[in-house]
C-alpha cells in the first residue's frame, strides 16, 4: 500500500524507474513517467530479495543512470552510485522479537543498521520511530525525517455498506498489534451499545485454537 499510493504522486513531477520482484509487476501502472524493471526474484522471498538488493540492484542503478535511489522497505544497497534514501517504517525486530525467528531477526537487525548508516537519508512513518532510529541505530537526528502517511482515495460502494453502525480497523494479527485488547474493548463496548459491529480487515499470523 505504501508503494502503490506513493509512486503515482512521485511520478507527477519525476521520471521513475521501479525495480521490483516478479509477483509485484502487475501492481504498478506504467505511465509516460514510469518504467518498470523486473528482477528475477520474488520479493516475498526475503533472502532472495536481500541478495538481489545487494548484488544485482547496484548494477541496475548504474546501468539506468539513476539520480536518486529510494528504497521503500527497511533495507537498501550498501553500495550505490547515487544518493540513497531508505524508508525504515519501524524497528519491530527490536521491540517485538517474538514476531521473528532468530535468523530473520538477526538479518533484519544487521541490514537495517547498515542501511541506515550507508544511506544518505532515512524516512520513517512517525516521530516515535524517528526517535527510535536515532537512539537505537545511532543515526544522527538530522539524517532522519518522519513523514506521516496520507489517506488514500477510497471509492464508496453504497450497496455494500453495513446497515448497522460499525467500527472498522485495518490490523494484522501479530502480537505487537494488540488485537486481543481491541477485542476485549469491543466486548465491553458492545455490552452497553446495541447493534454495533466490529469489522476487521487484515492479514497475519493465524492464532492457535486456544486464542480464538
Amino acid at each position: 500500500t505504501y508503494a502503490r499510493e506513493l509512486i503515482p504522486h512521485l511520478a507527477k513531477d519525476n521520471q521513475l524507474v521501479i525495480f521490483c520482484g516478479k509477483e509485484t509487476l502487475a501492481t504498478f501502472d506504467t505511465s509516460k513517467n514510469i518504467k518498470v524493471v523486473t528482477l528475477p526474484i520474488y520479493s516475498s522471498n526475503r533472502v532472495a530479495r536481500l541478495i538481489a538488493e545487494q548484488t544485482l540492484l547496484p548494477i541496475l542503478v548504474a546501468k539506468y543512470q539513476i539520480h536518486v535511489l529510494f528504497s521503500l522497505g527497511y533495507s537498501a544497497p550498501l553500495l550505490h552510485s547515487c544518493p540513497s534514501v531508505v524508508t525504515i517504517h519501524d524497528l519491530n525486530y527490536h521491540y517485538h522479537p517474538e514476531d521473528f525467528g532468530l535468523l530473520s531477526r538477526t538479518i533484519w537487525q544487521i541490514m537495517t543498521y547498515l542501511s541506515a548508516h550507508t544511506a544518505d537519508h532515512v524516512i520513517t512513518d512517525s516521530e516515535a520511530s524517528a526517535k527510535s532510529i536515532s537512539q537505537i541505530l545511532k543515526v544522527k537526528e538530522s539524517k532522519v525525517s518522519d513523514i506521516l502517511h496520507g489517506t488514500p482515495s477510497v471509492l464508496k460502494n453504497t450497496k455494500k455498506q453495513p446497515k448497522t453502525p460499525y467500527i472498522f480497523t485495518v490490523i494484522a494479527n501479530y502480537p505487537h498489534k494488540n488485537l486481543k485488547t481491541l477485542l476485549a474493548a469491543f466486548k465491553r463496548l458492545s455490552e452497553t451499545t446495541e447493534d454495533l459491529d466490529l469489522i476487521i480487515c487484515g492479514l497475519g499470523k493465524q492464532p492457535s485454537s486456544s486464542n480464538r
Side-chain angles (χ1 to χ4, degrees):
T1 302
Y2 179 69
R4 285 197 298 267
E5 295 295 331
L6 180 62
I7 287 173
H9 292 281
L10 292 177
K12 291 180 180 179
D13 300 310
N14 303 280
Q15 296 287 333
L16 302 185
V17 178
I18 300 174
F19 302 104
C20 66
K22 292 180 179 179
E23 79 277 27
T24 57
L25 175 61
T27 300
F28 305 108
D29 182 20
T30 57
S31 69
K32 62 179 182 180
N33 288 341
I34 297 178
K35 177 181 179 63
V36 179
V37 178
T38 308
L39 277 64
I41 54 99
Y42 289 95
S43 300
S44 55
N45 185 328
R46 291 183 175 180
V47 175
R49 172 197 150 189
L50 288 174
I51 293 174
E53 185 176 64
Q54 300 305 321
T55 57
L56 180 59
L57 187 54
I59 297 173
L60 293 174
V61 168
K63 175 183 177 180
Y64 286 92
Q65 300 180 341
I66 303 302
H67 294 163
V68 177
L69 177 63
F70 187 8
S71 302
L72 304 182
Y74 295 90
S75 61
L78 305 183
L79 299 176
H80 39 85
S81 56
C82 64
S84 172
V85 178
V86 60
T87 296
I88 300 177
H89 299 278
D90 51 58
L91 298 181
N92 281 343
Y93 70 84
H94 176 84
Y95 291 106
H96 302 282
E98 67 276 10
D99 283 355
F100 300 81
L102 177 60
L103 179 60
S104 177
R105 184 169 70 250
T106 302
I107 291 174
W108 283 115
Q109 182 177 6
I110 294 173
M111 291 308 305
T112 303
Y113 178 88
L114 293 177
S115 296
H117 281 270
T118 56
D120 295 279
H121 201 77
V122 178
I123 290 176
T124 190
D125 305 338
S126 67
E127 183 178 346
S129 290
K131 290 181 179 179
S132 295
I133 291 169
S134 296
Q135 294 171 1
I136 295 172
L137 301 185
K138 307 301 181 183
V139 178
K140 293 181 180 180
E141 292 185 2
S142 59
K143 188 178 176 179
V144 184
S145 297
D146 54 285
I147 301 177
L148 303 182
H149 287 180
T151 303
S153 301
V154 178
L155 295 177
K156 186 175 181 181
N157 189 335
T158 56
K159 295 182 180 179
K160 295 184 178 180
Q161 289 293 308
K163 296 180 180 180
T164 58
Y166 64 92
I167 298 173
F168 178 78
T169 180
V170 180
I171 187 171
N173 189 17
Y174 286 87
H176 69 274
K177 295 296 185 180
N178 211 6
L179 178 59
K180 288 184 178 180
T181 300
L182 172 63
L183 295 176
F186 177 74
K187 181 179 179 181
R188 293 184 60 181
L189 182 61
S190 61
E191 291 173 353
T192 57
T193 306
E194 296 182 356
D195 298 327
L196 180 66
D197 292 328
L198 173 63
I199 300 177
I200 300 175
C201 175
L203 299 173
K205 293 181 179 178
Q206 296 300 314
S208 63
S209 57
S210 61
N211 293 330
R212 291 176 181 172

